[in-house]
Amino acid sequence: MRIRQFIGRREWLLAAIAFATIVLQVYFDLKVPEYMQEITKRIVTPGTRMQDVLGEGSLMLASALGSMAAMVATGYCTAVIGTRVSRRMRADVFEKVLSFSLPEVGKFGTPSLVTRSTNDVNQVQLFIVMGVQMLVKSPILAVWAMTKISGANGTWTAATSIAVAVLVVLLGAVTAVVMPRLMRMQRITDDLNRVTREHLTGLRVIRSYNAQRFHEGRFEETNAELTRNNTQVMAAFALLMPALTALMTALTLAIYTLGAGMIDSASGAERITLFTQMVVFSAYALQIVGAFMMLAFIFVFLPRARVSWKRILEVLDAKPSIRDGGASVGRSGFKGTVEFKNVSFRYPDAEDDALKEISFTAEPGQTVAVIGSTGSGKSSIVNLIPRFYDVREGQVLLDGRDVREWTQEALRNRISLVPQKATLFSGTIASNIDYGKGTKELAPADVVEAARVANASEFIATKEDDYASAVAQGGSNFSGGQKQRLSIARAVARDGEVMIFDDSFSALDYKTDRDVRAALRDAAAGATIIIVAQRIGTVRNADKILVVDKGRIVGIGTHDELFASNPVYREIALSQLSEGELA
Ligand SMILES: Nc1ncnc2c1ncn2[C@@H]1O[C@H](COP(=O)(O)OP(=O)(O)O)[C@@H](O)[C@H]1O
Ligand SMILES: [Mg+2]
């Protein structure tokens, strides 16, 4: 088991202490019946003084207290081990998830990754704290207790064996019912997490479309499944508990009944011996049954911890589909050239190519625009440049080097990307613009300049704390256009050789759109600018326009060339502007 990698030296030491205290626990537990035997013997022997009984009694009490103290010590050690191990595990899972590229995140799904790094780690922790303790204690207890009564009365031993056999059958039956349901628990937790998450993130839409009912229904479905599953597990345990108590009582009863017969037919001193033996035997027999019970409980709970452990390992062992190349510089003579060579691309698990035979070049100082209807593949094209996904065929080159040959860090350091969905992080406006680790440290003046280029200075000035104003999680306290402008400012501040704007001007009004692009052209004069847009106004001044349709480039040229000769482009243009405006 790979669990070893999460256990440090101090934990091994604690484990050793835990083991020693478990042995102590068992020792004291098994000592109690011996004093009991002694006390019984004294009581039934005529002429015993009170203080003889009390002496043995206090020793018995001391044993019981000793067992309790040992148990507390064990509990402390295992709790510390459990929390430390789970802390490391959580950290590793988190770090691994951060290293994931989009294909891996897509494979697991965000909700499942959340469950894996929280709930699954807790399951393993619980097992370390509770399960391992029982797993170690029960065999020691069972074997030790057996040696104490071995060679004792055969009839009683037979009764105990029968009780153990019944116990095993009973627990086997319960396990059969409970195990598959416990193993299903993690998947249902994933589902519940997914449904809840979707509802919370889509709250606004749900409200405005009065779709609460629909979502309640969906939540109810998953919730009901979880409830059903839990009820069945709990019902099985509810039946098990009284059955076990009954079994123990029956065993005691059997030993005493059998003992009564034996005592009856014995005579004189032998009667007393038999009687004390009986008291002790029944005490040990109960310990043995108890040990088996503990062992069985572990076998019920182990599978759930194992499922969780496997799910954690799946994350930790996931091979990154995007492997780093070794190059950190492009070919000499290049400074920001992006080239697509006959690129075809397919999303993981998709049936068809999202992009087919894409070829084009974007040079430094140029603005290349990508236009096309929604779903035509514009975002897919630009997401291949920072290598969020790998191509299926062909090559994407930055500075004459295949993006797969670059280290991801060097590659992304050269690229400033504004993704289609503007993303802000909780913090301040400044921390969102000066974000991440680029090739150079940013001065406050750089942040202000970036905001100016992005046309964001004005609204930032209206905020109470200027650049120190708080940004809520997901930027929820900013409008769509403001979020877009802050994202643009972030990209400008990064000052990449290649600047990619994926539909980043869509929420800006026409004038702001124009102003931002003009400022950008000045501020990033030498950079390669790639602009994805749906508006003709945004793209018409570009040096080169790619017209994308159904994953293919159906036209490359300037606005005038395309308008004159390309039917797809002409249709888009005419749908937005009158022929007079375009002329
Ligand atoms: N993560 C994804 N997984 C699978 N298919 C996707 C994914 N993202 C986009 N697609 C599909 O790829 C096609 C192109 O999408 P996209 O590049 O986002 O279009 P555009 O940006 O032009 O609107 C669409 O048919 C879309 O359904
Ligand atoms: Mg898009």
Side-chain angles (χ1 to χ4, degrees), residues 66-305:
S67 161
M68 230 157 78
M71 200 186 260
V72 170
T74 316
Y76 177 78
C77 291
T78 52
V80 172
I81 297 172
T83 42
R84 291 234 184 105
V85 168
S86 65
R87 176 195 165 162
R88 277 191 206 119
M89 221 180 285
R90 245 190 314 268
D92 277 18
V93 171
F94 185 73
E95 195 180 318
K96 182 75 187 194
V97 170
L98 273 187
S99 80
F100 277 178
S101 314
L102 298 184
E104 284 89 60
V105 175
K107 188 180 126 209
F108 288 106
T110 313
S112 183
L113 285 175
V114 173
T115 324
R116 282 167 207 247
S117 53
T118 52
N119 187 302
D120 281 309
V121 174
N122 286 348
Q123 294 299 333
V124 175
Q125 178 180 348
L126 191 69
F127 186 73
I128 293 174
V129 176
M130 303 296 300
V132 176
Q133 198 181 142
M134 293 201 229
L135 199 61
V136 173
K137 186 177 173 183
S138 50
I140 298 179
L141 182 61
V143 172
W144 203 338
M146 281 182 203
T147 61
K148 294 256 184 192
I149 54 171
S150 71
N153 195 292
T155 326
W156 287 335
T157 311
T160 311
S161 308
I162 291 172
V164 169
V166 172
L167 180 75
V168 168
V169 172
L170 200 61
L171 288 166
V174 170
T175 309
V177 173
V178 161
M179 194 122 85
R181 294 184 168 77
L182 281 177
M183 291 178 71
R184 216 179 291 147
M185 212 79 104
Q186 292 317 100
R187 190 198 39 79
I188 304 178
T189 311
D190 271 0
D191 284 351
L192 201 64
N193 208 333
R194 179 172 49 75
V195 176
T196 312
R197 199 187 139 85
E198 201 178 343
H199 296 183
L200 292 181
T201 49
L203 208 57
R204 249 177 269 214
V205 181
I206 295 175
R207 283 280 147 73
S208 57
Y209 283 83
N210 293 321
Q212 286 98 322
R213 274 281 167 72
F214 169 70
H215 281 271
E216 271 164 24
R218 275 182 41 177
F219 183 79
E220 196 42 48
E221 230 171 84
T222 318
N223 201 8
E225 190 184 359
L226 187 62
T227 311
R228 209 164 37 239
N229 212 46
N230 276 341
T231 315
Q232 285 160 347
V233 170
M234 290 306 151
F237 280 121
L239 284 176
L240 184 62
M241 285 305 164
L244 291 178
T245 317
L247 183 69
M248 288 200 166
T249 316
L251 177 59
T252 315
L253 201 62
I255 292 173
Y256 275 70
T257 315
L258 292 169
M262 286 187 271
I263 292 171
D264 212 26
S265 54
S267 59
E270 211 188 320
R271 287 185 152 200
I272 294 174
T273 318
L274 265 173
F275 179 66
T276 54
Q277 273 179 358
M278 181 176 75
V279 171
V280 171
F281 192 99
S282 62
Y284 285 131
L286 288 188
Q287 298 271 23
I288 294 171
V289 174
F292 273 95
M293 227 157 71
M294 249 189 322
L295 206 59
F297 266 118
I298 298 164
F299 282 109
V300 175
F301 284 108
L302 180 68
R304 185 162 184 206

Side-chain angles (χ1 to χ4, degrees), residues 347-348 350 354 372-381 389 420 502:
Y347 282 100
S373 55
T374 49
S376 55
K378 305 182 297 294
S379 295
S380 305
I381 292 178
Y389 296 95
Q420 181 159 16
D502 188 354

Side-chain angles (χ1 to χ4, degrees), residues 382-409:
V382 295
N383 284 340
L384 293 179
I385 303 171
R387 210 182 159 205
F388 290 153
Y389 296 95
D390 272 339
V391 301
R392 189 174 69 72
E393 243 177 58
Q395 276 186 310
V396 177
L397 303 125
L398 175 71
D399 287 347
R401 213 180 265 295
D402 194 309
V403 290
R404 286 168 292 196
E405 290 173 18
W406 288 82
T407 66
Q408 289 170 69
E409 188 181 347

